[in-house]
Amino acid sequence: MKSRLATLFCLFAVAACGTDTPKEAGVPGGGGLPALPGPPGSDALGLEAQLDGRYIKSIRIEEGEFTANGPGQEIPLTFAAQGMSNVKQFEFRLEIDPVDALSFEGSSFEPVQPFIAPPGFSIEVMEGGQWRTGAASVSEAKEGNDTLGILKLVTGDRFSAGDKVQIRVAFFSMGPSFSDRDDYSAEDLNMGVVVNGE
């Protein structure tokens, strides 16, 4: 099932982009700037990363409460981008610790137009446990600054008020096609939130 979801996601992404061009070798954006750290004096993840890439300048998670005290509660994460150029698709991969604190079946990603999610599948679980989501535009390329979408995470059946969950952006990719994107690793981004964190 997971393999079928991955195949559908890839096919949708390729279909949405038109003609692919080879990806440039080397570090995206010529190396870019280092990611913004978390709060001063801590090892916490930040909500924003300066990327200075070919297709995006920065990515952020909008400020929010990021709290829950029981099962079945929604924790929305709103993703926004600045300095987009010729963007027709993007992808996030998330590491969730502990992963069973959230309900995969209850969670979803709602992209903002012109982006749409692969039909019937807004999130998939990859081998290794990462959650993958994203969207593509089948019409216009996105320019400038805008919200990408809202990731609606739902707490699991055994979630309680004292539980903490780290949600880390392990990978982010954006560009005009499936094979031509700026790719960023967890180390490039240093982004995420802690549910019920300090």
Side-chain angles (χ1 to χ4, degrees), residues 97 129 183:
D97 183 25
D183 297 339

Side-chain angles (χ1 to χ4, degrees), residues 52-113:
D52 197 26
R54 295 171 297 160
Y55 305 118
I56 182 173
K57 297 306 178 186
S58 68
I59 183 73
R60 72 177 182 277
I61 302 170
E62 301 285 11
E63 294 280 353
E65 292 295 322
F66 311 129
T67 60
N69 56 25
Q73 294 185 353
E74 188 177 281
I75 305 162
L77 274 65
T78 301
F79 288 90
Q82 289 190 315
M84 288 182 285
S85 176
N86 194 30
V87 170
K88 295 196 77 173
Q89 55 183 250
F90 61 88
E91 174 186 340
F92 290 99
R93 297 179 194 172
L94 307 174
E95 290 177 347
I96 299 167
D97 183 25
V99 69
D100 59 358
L102 300 179
S103 167
F104 171 75
E105 292 77 12
S107 300
S108 63
F109 180 68
E110 295 182 6
V112 172
Q113 291 291 332

Side-chain angles (χ1 to χ4, degrees), residues 35-37 45-52 56-64 66 76-84 90-92 94 109 112 144-151 167-169 171-174 184 188-193:
L36 294 179
L45 298 171
L47 292 178
E48 182 176 8
Q50 298 294 328
L51 304 175
D52 197 26
I56 182 173
K57 297 306 178 186
S58 68
I59 183 73
R60 72 177 182 277
I61 302 170
E62 301 285 11
E63 294 280 353
F66 311 129
L77 274 65
T78 301
F79 288 90
Q82 289 190 315
M84 288 182 285
F90 61 88
E91 174 186 340
F92 290 99
L94 307 174
F109 180 68
V112 172
N145 309 333
D146 209 345
T147 299
L148 298 176
I150 302 174
L151 180 62
I167 302 159
R168 184 180 190 188
V169 182
F171 176 81
F172 172 64
S173 181
M174 175 174 273
Y184 302 96
D188 297 324
L189 299 162
N190 192 34
M191 279 182 69
V193 302

Side-chain angles (χ1 to χ4, degrees), residues 125-147:
V125 178
M126 303 179 67
E127 289 196 17
Q130 290 184 353
W131 290 18
R132 179 187 187 199
T133 189
S137 170
V138 295
S139 55
E140 66 183 280
K142 192 67 179 173
E143 306 285 339
N145 309 333
D146 209 345
T147 299

